[in-house]
Amino acid sequence: QVQLVESGGGLVQAGGSLRLSCAASGSILSINTMGWYRQAPGKQRELVAAITSLGSTNYLDSVKGRFTISRDNAKNTVYLQMNSLKPEDTAVYYCNSRLTRLAIPARESEYWGQGTQVTVSS
């Protein structure tokens, strides 16, 4: 079994910062991409940031310059440093990973965390 466990959400005032963490655990052979999505009430889930195993990143336009994604491959952990937060960043943030389990046959699958609430007050 594979689990993605998130932490670091909470309530912060506009202009503040939060750091999200997501650790993947279980029978993992390799991890390709890790990333963060978010979903605000009444809106579709959207990709916030993603990072490949080689460190290539991509970001949602509205968070560029404010959010930074990073990963620790030795710990199977991805981080999202969120600075200059705005009320429109309020959402449930979900960790996402495409990884290959230690299983036969070995094939890549997508996994999701349970979500962590980020609320930015004005």
Side-chain angles (χ1 to χ4, degrees), residues 63-83:
V63 308
K64 287 180 180 177
R66 300 188 297 122
F67 291 10
T68 302
I69 190 169
S70 61
R71 65 190 276 177
D72 184 333
N73 291 330
K75 296 181 179 179
N76 290 341
T77 299
V78 64
Y79 306 95
L80 185 67
Q81 178 66 44
M82 304 185 293
N83 298 328

Side-chain angles (χ1 to χ4, degrees), residues 5 17 19 23 34 39 61 72-73 84 90 103 105:
V5 179
S17 298
R19 188 190 194 211
M34 300 188 81
Q39 187 166 22
D61 282 346
D72 184 333
N73 291 330
S84 302
T90 295

Side-chain angles (χ1 to χ4, degrees), residues 4-9 21-23 36 93-96 112-116:
L4 301 183
V5 179
E6 300 136 334
S7 61
S21 300
C22 171
W36 293 92
Y93 283 70
Y94 296 91
C95 180
N96 171 275
W112 292 90
Q114 78 284 1
T116 185

